Amino acid sequence: MFRARISTPEGSDRRQARRTDAGGIYSDHGRLIDLSTRGCRLRTVRRWAEGRRRVIRLRSGSIDLQVVARCVWCQQDRLMSHVVGLAFDEVEAHRRELLTTLVESARPIRDDEPPSVAA
């Protein structure tokens, strides 16, 4: 199992869960860049306020899951594009199982593989 070490904009390394490529997993709030059982990165058109919580929907195949996500950081990527770091807080056991299934079905990202934020 790979453990991702991604630095936040402030340079601190906080990620503790395996990070996976989000190809084939869809969100209702933007383009999913990567996903773990503890959070995800999302590309959006609008800026998100740090600390704000939103219910986001994740879909892949037969899995259709809604989780509460808290914005940990937001960076403007280019004109009309922001990358948002989200943490999943207080996920119920049955939703955590579905989230784990999504992560395990996706391609792991190696620790030494740079994160992709391309459109």
Side-chain angles (χ1 to χ4, degrees):
M1 178 185 309
F2 299 102
R3 298 279 180 208
R5 290 185 293 261
I6 298 177
S7 295
T8 62
E10 295 80 33
S12 62
D13 181 4
R14 298 183 184 191
R15 191 170 296 243
Q16 299 296 315
R18 181 177 75 138
R19 180 172 58 108
T20 61
D21 185 321
I25 303 172
Y26 302 94
S27 169
D28 63 341
H29 277 79
R31 183 180 165 274
L32 209 53
I33 298 168
D34 63 32
L35 175 69
S36 78
T37 56
R38 297 175 52 117
C40 66
R41 282 188 309 147
L42 193 66
R43 171 167 281 127
T44 67
V45 175
R46 295 195 172 124
R47 178 166 184 76
W48 286 30
E50 291 180 15
R52 182 171 179 187
R53 287 179 161 70
R54 296 183 187 193
V55 175
I56 66 169
R57 183 178 180 187
L58 302 173
R59 293 178 294 126
S60 179
S62 64
I63 297 176
D64 190 343
L65 172 66
Q66 291 186 345
V67 292
V68 176
R70 175 177 44 87
C71 179
V72 178
W73 56 267
C74 181
Q75 284 185 323
Q76 185 167 0
D77 185 40
R78 55 183 171 244
L79 186 63
M80 300 297 291
S81 178
H82 294 81
V83 176
V84 182
L86 302 174
F88 302 139
D89 293 332
E90 303 174 17
V91 179
E92 299 92 358
H94 70 282
R95 292 179 197 271
R96 175 81 53 201
E97 288 177 26
L98 291 172
L99 191 54
T100 299
T101 300
L102 280 177
V103 169
E104 289 176 350
S105 69
R107 181 184 70 83
I109 298 175
R110 297 186 326 263
D111 287 346
D112 61 344
E113 185 175 342
S116 170
V117 290

